[in-house]
Amino acid sequence: MPVTGPFSIIDYLGLRLRYVDTTESWGSSYLVHVMHAAEAIASGKCSIALATLAGRPRALGARTGTVVAAKGIDAPEAQFELPYGPTVVGLYAMSAMRHMHDYGTTSEQLAWIKVAASQHAQHNPHAPLRNVVTVKDVVESPLIADPLHRLDCCVITDGGGAVVVTRSEIARALRKPAVRVRGAGYATKHTMGGRVDVASSGATWSGPRAFAEAGVTPSDIKYVSIYDSFTITVLITLEDLGFCANGAGGRLVADGNLISGVGRLPFNTDGGGLCSNHPSNRGGMTKILEAVRQVRGEAHPAVQVKNCDIALAHGTGGALPTRHGSATLILERI
Amino acid sequence: MTTTSKTAMRDIPGPVPDPEMQPWWDACKNGQFLVRHCRKCGENHFLPRTICPFCFSDETEWKTAAGTATIYTFSVMRRAHAPYVLAYVTLDEGPTVMTNIATSDVDAVHIGQRVRVAFENTDTGQKLPLFAPI
């Protein structure tokens, strides 16, 4: 609850709590809240935890991607960055530009990420963008910040979500299939004292930590929810998590490989941020929700991954080419 | 290093300098781009800090950069009233810094291009460093 703070929802629900975690990691906060909830439960601080998110950026007229709040951000880096007009799209566009330069990644390859999201969104009645699009549609949509086009960008939507985390003996007694947090990893990445690297993310470190804790490898994962503020965010994250080598992401995502029932790595089967949701401009919560649906077998039948016993959800909070928190959860059916 | 009025692509909002960084902003008024140098580990860093982000020593000092750099990455903000170029440039002294590329030909900007610092007025009167193609 970034705008109102935690006490609004605590008051609204009438809760009397003995433990609260309000860790701020921007869009990846909600994956972190699940990690911290699991740790708090394991250490006996609480037995049932609720993680929430709600926000109405669309109703409030946000133009998050293309307008910079030039003043009033009280951070040491603000004076060295805000005067230059670093829009959110512009920042991620610089990642895409460099990735293309270093590895030959193309706009058409990035477009495949949006195509896959739209193939999934057509089955989600809550998605605002339900029309299936083609690679041509994406690369011919207006340039917002070179090389990113309008259809490389996520939606601005109102919405929210919630996750309940509890002890396994309580979870097993509930009516819903239980999903276990098998592994979790977190990392931060920033401008590194000026050794800026815009073509990779903190997933480089959060991924291996999560995989090590879970005792699995990328090849074991049946479904991925990947934070998709922009198409390039997905491509870089998949590389950093180890689904392919750095630089090979363009080939990984192309030709429908992310489409459920078609490709080998189905992703964001709710339509993701690219077509469906980005409540409060924070996509982390809905990444968890769709991964849970997949592991429970409760996704839309048209996009449900067969035998989806293990899934990964990943959040990128902040801005990939400046500073951000990367959070990875590995979830399994029990 | 020159001060030029030909480089502005838009009205630039002035920075809000913090006290630790005031010498850096004062140097801009004199046409100098400073980086922070660590006497302990020998590294230059940016954004400047009193504590070195590489070795955590407090034996740091200001160093005047040559003002020449290479474009590391960039993007043209096509939705702005007047399109402008957001960029990271790598200073010859090492650190990569966020900036704008000051040019009337945004479509000619490319990674690897050599650029030189130029100081532009902002809406507060504070000089701000941009980088222009050499």
Side-chain angles (χ1 to χ4, degrees):
Chain A
M1 298 293 287
V3 177
T4 56
F7 300 120
S8 292
I9 191 68
I10 295 169
D11 181 1
Y12 182 86
L13 293 172
L15 304 176
R16 297 170 64 184
L17 303 179
R18 61 189 168 109
Y19 190 83
V20 174
D21 172 50
T22 59
T23 300
E24 175 62 285
S25 187
W26 302 117
S28 59
S29 298
Y30 313 94
L31 298 103
V32 182
H33 295 165
V34 168
M35 293 178 201
H36 289 180
E39 292 164 8
I41 290 164
S43 66
K45 299 287 186 189
C46 64
S47 57
I48 301 172
L50 174 66
T52 69
L53 164 70
R56 298 186 301 146
R58 190 171 192 87
L60 298 175
R63 294 170 61 203
T64 321
T66 51
V67 173
V68 177
K71 296 181 183 180
I73 297 176
D74 198 3
E77 69 276 9
Q79 59 197 308
F80 297 104
E81 296 181 358
L82 297 183
Y84 299 112
T87 65
V88 180
V89 190
L91 290 170
Y92 280 82
M94 289 201 294
S95 286
M97 189 71 85
R98 186 69 203 189
H99 201 281
M100 289 177 169
H101 177 269
D102 286 349
Y103 303 118
T105 306
T106 66
S107 288
E108 286 73 16
Q109 289 171 330
L110 289 177
W112 270 108
I113 298 167
K114 169 73 173 189
V115 169
S118 77
Q119 286 283 343
H120 299 148
Q122 66 176 317
H123 304 294
N124 181 356
H126 301 296
L129 303 181
R130 298 184 65 192
N131 290 338
V132 171
V133 301
T134 64
V135 167
K136 187 165 179 284
D137 292 333
V138 179
V139 299
E140 290 184 358
S141 66
L143 268 180
I144 305 298
D146 317 32
L148 296 182
H149 304 80
R150 176 177 290 154
L151 297 188
D152 286 299
C153 305
C154 71
V155 295
I156 295 175
T157 58
D158 303 338
V163 174
V164 175
V165 185
T166 188
R167 298 201 307 269
S168 59
E169 57 268 35
I170 295 175
R172 286 174 200 276
L174 300 175
R175 289 191 299 275
K176 286 282 192 178
V179 174
R180 185 164 80 106
V181 179
R182 178 161 172 161
Y186 187 74
T188 56
K189 185 159 187 260
H190 45 71
T191 55
M192 307 288 185
R195 296 172 185 173
V196 175
D197 164 25
V198 299
S200 72
S201 75
T204 305
W205 305 297
S206 71
R209 285 168 192 157
F211 283 117
E213 189 169 288
V216 298
T217 66
S219 62
D220 296 313
I221 303 295
K222 305 287 177 49
Y223 164 83
V224 291
S225 280
I226 303 292
Y227 203 107
D228 54 347
S229 45
F230 302 93
T231 51
I232 185 65
T233 321
V234 176
L235 188 146
I236 287 175
T237 303
L238 289 174
E239 291 181 354
D240 292 342
L241 289 174
F243 288 98
C244 65
N246 285 101
R251 294 189 294 283
L252 177 71
V253 303
D255 304 323
N257 203 33
L258 302 181
I259 301 173
S260 184
V262 175
R264 294 175 55 199
L265 188 62
F267 100 122
N268 296 9
T269 42
D270 59 343
L274 289 169
C275 294
S276 177
N277 56 72
H278 199 218
S280 197
N281 294 322
R282 290 164 171 245
M285 176 62 77
T286 47
K287 296 297 165 289
I288 304 169
L289 299 187
E290 186 67 6
V292 168
R293 288 190 196 103
Q294 281 288 353
V295 171
R296 282 178 172 169
E298 294 179 346
H300 189 285
V303 297
Q304 175 66 49
V305 175
K306 289 189 180 69
N307 305 316
C308 188
D309 55 343
I310 187 158
L312 178 149
H314 182 87
T316 307
L320 196 154
T322 56
R323 54 200 66 78
H324 62 271
S326 296
T328 310
L329 292 178
I330 295 173
L331 306 173
E332 71 173 344
R333 188 166 56 214
I334 57 172
Chain B
M1 288 177 231
T2 55
T3 298
T4 170
S5 59
K6 296 175 184 171
T7 51
M9 292 168 285
R10 63 198 176 97
D11 292 332
I12 300 172
V16 184
D18 73 43
E20 185 187 10
M21 292 302 116
Q22 195 59 52
W24 193 87
W25 291 104
D26 289 343
C28 289
K29 295 172 189 169
N30 300 322
Q32 292 181 315
F33 190 105
L34 303 185
V35 295
R36 197 76 179 167
H37 176 74
C38 178
R39 287 194 298 270
K40 193 79 175 281
C41 71
E43 296 288 335
N44 300 318
H45 70 261
F46 198 91
L47 57 103
R49 294 94 152 166
T50 304
I51 306 289
C52 173
F54 300 121
C55 75
F56 306 118
S57 166
D58 62 358
E59 295 177 31
T60 60
E61 63 191 5
W62 296 109
K63 178 177 169 180
T64 303
T68 42
T70 304
I71 295 178
Y72 166 67
T73 190
F74 72 99
S75 179
V76 183
M77 304 304 101
R78 301 282 176 183
R79 306 296 292 176
H81 179 64
Y84 61 94
V85 182
L86 178 67
Y88 273 121
V89 301
T90 303
L91 303 170
D92 290 353
E93 290 75 14
T96 296
V97 306
M98 188 181 292
T99 191
N100 291 145
I101 303 303
T103 176
S104 56
D105 187 3
V106 297
D107 294 320
V109 175
H110 58 272
I111 290 174
Q113 192 170 10
R114 291 289 287 165
V115 290
R116 177 177 286 120
V117 72
F119 292 89
E120 187 56 63
N121 280 317
T122 62
D123 65 6
T124 59
Q126 169 66 53
K127 295 283 187 188
L128 180 77
L130 312 182
F131 285 79
I134 294 174

